[in-house]
Amino acid sequence: MAGSRTLKAGPPRPTPPVRVRRKRADQYHHGDLRRALLDQAVRTIQLHGVDELTLRGVGRDLGVSRTALYRHFADKAALVEAVAAQGFRTLRERLTEAWTQGGEGGGGFAAMAAAYVHFALEQPSHYRVMFGAALDAASCDPDLTVEGAGAFQALVDAITWQQREGLLRDDDPLQLANYVWSVVHGISMLALDGRLRANSDEIDLLVSFAVKRIRTGIEKLDP
Amino acid sequence: MAGSRTLKAGPPRPTPPVRVRRKRADQYHHGDLRRALLDQAVRTIQLHGVDELTLRGVGRDLGVSRTALYRHFADKAALVEAVAAQGFRTLRERLTEAWTQGGEGGGGFAAMAAAYVHFALEQPSHYRVMFGAALDAASCDPDLTVEGAGAFQALVDAITWQQREGLLRDDDPLQLANYVWSVVHGISMLALDGRLRANSDEIDLLVSFAVKRIRTGIEKLDP
DNA sequence: ACCTGAACACCGTTCAAGT
DNA sequence: ACCTGAACACCGTTCAAGT
C-alpha cells in the first residue's frame, strides 16, 4: 500500500528528516542543501510514494522555505530525475555484488536476476520513479542517462564474460542484455502492480523458473 | 514526446471532443455522460498523457460543469481506472485476433507477442495508465481486475493450446504465461521509456529475437 | 551566492442550491 | 436524478526583496 504510485492518497504526513534541524529564522541552511533535499526526497518517495512528494513538503521537513529548492534544482522534474539517477547507482552496486558473490557465471547470473527483482520489490516507489521519470529519452537529465546506462552495463558485462567462457550463444550481447533485462524488468513491474497474483515466495519461484527458461533459451549448445 | 508521462508539460491545450456539443446554459447533458466522459478521458490521455488529464479540462471539453463528473465516477482515480479497464478490453481483442490470424500455434504465438508490443507502442500513454492506475491490487476497481485478467487469459489459452498439441513444456501454464507476459511487458515498458535506445525497426528485431529465445526456452523436447 | 515570503495560476473535492 | 457555481485546501512556480 505504501510504496505504490497513488492517484489519491490519505492525509499528507510529514516525513521525518534524518537530521532534525530547526533553524532559527535568521539563519541559512549552510550545508549541502542539495544533498539534503535529494535525501529527503528519496526518503519521502520510499515511505509514501511519488505522488506525495511535494516541494513544499520537502522544504517543510528540512525547515527551509518553499522555494529554497529552486537554487539547486531547475524544477520538480529535475529533483525526481536526480532521485532516479540515485536509484540506478544503487541498483548497479547490487547487481555487481550479486555477480561476484554468486560466483561469476551461471550462479552469478541467477543471483543478479534475483537481486534485480529484490531491489525493485524492496523499494517499489523508488523503482517506479527510475522508470517513469523520463519525459522522453532525449530531454532527460544527463546524469540519469549515465547512471541508467551504468546499471545496464553491469548486465552486458556479465553476458560478454559468459560468452567468452563459451557458456552463452554468440548473439549480439546488447540484444541478449535487452532480452534479459526485459524479463527481470517485466517481472518486477508486474509484481509491483500486483498483477502476478503472487506472494513474495511465489515471485521468487517465478524468478528462478524464469532464470532457467532464459538460460535454456540463450545457452550455447555443444559445438 | 506526446504520449509519455510528464512531470511538467507545456501549456494546457483543450482536447477537441468528437461530438462538439455546445449546450445552452439551461440544458442538461442528457445522454450517456458517463460514456462521454470516459471517451474524452481516453482521448486526452492518448493525445497529451495522463498528467494533462484534469477533471476540469474534461468537463470543459464536453461543455459540462467541473463537478458533473462526480455523478458518474467516485473521483479522478475511478475515472482513470475505467480508462485502464477499457485499455485491457482492447488489448485482449488485439491478442486474440493475432492468435487466430497468425495461425494458432507457433506462428500465432509470435504474432501475439508482436501485437502486444505494438499495442503498447501505438498508445503509450494509455498503456502506461493500464499498468499504473492500481493503488494497490486489493482496492482497485473490480471491472479493471476483470478486464486485466481477461487479457492475461488470452495468453494462458494460447499456451494451454500449444501444450495440448505437444509444442510446449508441461510446466504450470500460469507460470509459463507469467514468464512470457513478463518478457513482452518488459520490452514494451523499456521501449516506452526510451531505454532500449532503439528505433521501431530495431524494437521489432528485438521482439522477434525474444520470441525465438522464449520458444527455445519453453518448447517441448522430443520424448 | 543563497534564502525568503507574497502572489499567481492552476488543481481535486465538497456542498448547498437549482431543475 | 442530474447538474450547477462558489468555496476550500491544496499544488508548482515566479519574483522582488533581503543578507
Side-chain angles (χ1 to χ4, degrees):
Chain A
M1 166 180 144
S4 61
R5 282 181 65 244
T6 61
L7 282 158
K8 185 199 149 197
R13 318 142 260 194
T15 306
V18 158
R19 57 184 121 160
V20 187
R21 71 160 51 238
R22 297 303 310 161
K23 71 194 225 336
R24 286 192 302 281
D26 58 346
Q27 287 182 239
Y28 288 88
H29 180 273
H30 279 151
D32 195 343
L33 179 55
R34 196 196 131 90
R35 187 76 235 170
L37 289 163
L38 181 53
D39 289 347
Q40 185 63 20
V42 170
R43 222 170 293 133
T44 303
I45 286 173
Q46 288 185 348
L47 287 175
H48 309 303
V50 219
D51 295 325
E52 281 204 45
L53 178 75
T54 68
L55 302 190
R56 293 158 119 96
V58 172
R60 199 183 310 127
D61 292 340
L62 257 47
V64 128
S65 126
R66 290 203 261 280
T67 58
L69 182 138
Y70 287 90
R71 288 293 126 193
H72 303 279
F73 297 94
D75 52 18
K76 187 180 182 178
L79 174 63
V80 174
E81 283 173 2
V83 169
Q86 170 99 316
F88 277 113
R89 222 166 298 145
T90 308
L91 176 59
R92 184 183 52 194
E93 288 172 15
R94 298 283 178 85
L95 293 181
T96 53
E97 275 172 27
W99 170 250
T100 54
Q101 290 180 12
E104 295 183 341
F109 205 53
M112 275 181 90
Y116 188 103
V117 177
H118 286 157
F119 174 85
L121 265 51
E122 278 162 20
Q123 350 212 14
S125 299
H126 201 160
Y127 187 79
R128 283 206 131 93
V129 167
M130 289 161 57
F131 290 94
L135 182 63
D136 56 329
S139 80
C140 85
D141 182 30
D143 195 39
L144 173 54
T145 306
V146 168
E147 296 298 339
F152 181 64
Q153 191 59 40
L155 183 55
V156 175
D157 290 344
I159 285 173
T160 52
W161 191 97
Q162 292 176 90
Q163 285 180 319
R164 253 180 279 123
E165 297 288 319
L167 297 170
L168 294 189
R169 294 166 54 96
D170 293 320
D171 294 314
D172 174 15
L174 287 178
Q175 197 136 23
L176 278 167
N178 277 335
Y179 171 62
V180 174
W181 193 18
S182 295
V183 184
V184 289
H185 181 59
I187 291 174
S188 300
M189 288 298 264
L190 291 176
L192 257 55
D193 285 324
R195 298 217 162 266
L196 291 182
R197 215 167 294 302
N199 61 34
S200 112
D201 284 345
E202 289 165 334
I203 289 170
D204 284 344
L205 280 177
L206 175 60
V207 171
S208 67
F209 177 78
V211 166
K212 280 182 285 189
R213 294 306 110 228
I214 291 173
R215 181 150 288 281
T216 305
I218 69 178
E219 72 193 345
K220 186 162 196 165
L221 300 178
D222 298 317
Chain B
M1 165 180 143
S4 59
R5 282 181 63 242
T6 61
L7 282 158
K8 183 202 151 195
R13 319 141 260 195
T15 306
V18 158
R19 59 184 118 158
V20 186
R21 71 161 48 237
R22 296 303 311 159
K23 69 195 228 335
R24 287 191 303 280
D26 59 344
Q27 287 181 237
Y28 288 89
H29 180 274
H30 278 152
D32 195 344
L33 180 54
R34 195 195 131 91
R35 187 77 233 171
L37 289 163
L38 182 53
D39 289 347
Q40 185 62 22
V42 169
R43 223 170 291 133
T44 303
I45 286 174
Q46 288 185 346
L47 288 175
H48 309 303
V50 220
D51 294 325
E52 282 204 44
L53 178 74
T54 67
L55 302 190
R56 293 156 119 97
V58 173
R60 199 183 310 126
D61 292 340
L62 258 46
V64 129
S65 127
R66 289 203 262 280
T67 58
L69 181 140
Y70 287 89
R71 287 294 125 192
H72 302 280
F73 298 95
D75 51 18
K76 188 179 183 179
L79 174 63
V80 174
E81 284 173 3
V83 170
Q86 170 99 316
F88 278 114
R89 224 167 296 145
T90 308
L91 176 58
R92 184 183 51 193
E93 288 171 14
R94 299 284 178 84
L95 293 181
T96 52
E97 275 171 29
W99 169 250
T100 54
Q101 290 181 12
E104 295 184 341
F109 206 53
M112 276 181 87
Y116 188 103
V117 177
H118 287 157
F119 174 85
L121 265 51
E122 278 162 19
Q123 350 213 13
S125 300
H126 201 159
Y127 187 79
R128 283 204 132 93
V129 167
M130 289 161 58
F131 290 95
L135 182 63
D136 57 327
S139 79
C140 85
D141 182 30
D143 195 39
L144 174 54
T145 305
V146 167
E147 297 297 339
F152 181 64
Q153 191 59 40
L155 183 54
V156 175
D157 290 344
I159 285 173
T160 52
W161 191 97
Q162 291 175 91
Q163 285 180 320
R164 253 180 278 122
E165 298 289 316
L167 297 170
L168 293 188
R169 294 167 54 98
D170 293 321
D171 294 315
D172 175 14
L174 287 179
Q175 197 136 23
L176 277 168
N178 277 334
Y179 171 62
V180 174
W181 193 19
S182 294
V183 184
V184 290
H185 181 58
I187 291 175
S188 300
M189 288 298 265
L190 292 176
L192 258 55
D193 285 324
R195 299 217 162 265
L196 292 181
R197 216 166 293 300
N199 61 34
S200 110
D201 285 343
E202 291 166 333
I203 288 169
D204 283 344
L205 280 177
L206 175 60
V207 171
S208 67
F209 177 79
V211 166
K212 280 182 284 189
R213 294 305 111 230
I214 290 173
R215 181 150 287 281
T216 305
I218 68 178
E219 71 192 347
K220 186 162 195 164
L221 301 178
D222 298 318

